[in-house]
Amino acid sequence: MQHEGYYDYMLRRYREEEEKAAEKKWDYETPLLRAKIGDLEQEINVLKTDLKELTQCYYTVLKRLADVTKEN
C-alpha cells in the first residue's frame, strides 16, 4: 500500500469539498423555493386574467366608439 502524500491528500479533499458544495448549489428542491414558485405562478395567472379583462373592455370601448361615430 502506497502512502498518499500531504499535498495530494489536500488536493483530493479540496476537490471533494468543491463537489459537495456544487451539489448543494444546484439543489432546487427546497420547500422555500417551491413555495416561491407557487406564489409566482399564482401571480402570473392573476395577471393573465386581468389582461384578458382589460383587452375585453378595450375592444368593447372601441366597438361603442365606432357605433357612436356612425350614428352622427
Side-chain angles (χ1 to χ4, degrees), residues 42-71:
Q42 188 176 19
E43 186 178 347
I44 288 169
N45 288 334
V46 168
L47 291 172
K48 283 181 181 179
T49 304
D50 189 41
L51 181 61
K52 180 180 175 184
E53 291 173 1
L54 286 172
T55 303
Q56 287 175 343
C57 291
Y58 174 73
Y59 283 108
T60 302
V61 168
L62 287 179
K63 184 183 271 187
R64 178 70 180 130
L65 183 63
D67 291 343
V68 169
T69 55
K70 284 183 184 177
E71 292 175 2

Side-chain angles (χ1 to χ4, degrees), residues 25-37:
K25 184 188 285 186
W26 294 104
D27 183 19
Y28 289 113
E29 296 299 321
T30 61
L32 182 62
L33 290 176
R34 283 180 171 253
K36 183 68 174 172
I37 289 170

Side-chain angles (χ1 to χ4, degrees), residues 6-37:
Y6 174 77
Y7 292 107
D8 292 331
Y9 169 75
M10 293 304 288
L11 184 59
R12 180 175 57 82
R13 288 292 309 265
Y14 174 75
R15 287 181 181 153
E16 289 172 356
E17 292 298 321
E18 286 295 312
E19 287 175 6
K20 287 180 186 177
E23 288 175 8
K24 289 180 183 177
K25 184 188 285 186
W26 294 104
D27 183 19
Y28 289 113
E29 296 299 321
T30 61
L32 182 62
L33 290 176
R34 283 180 171 253
K36 183 68 174 172
I37 289 170

Side-chain angles (χ1 to χ4, degrees), residues 1-6 8-9:
M1 183 166 121
Q2 187 176 3
H3 182 69
E4 185 177 24
Y6 174 77
D8 292 331
Y9 169 75

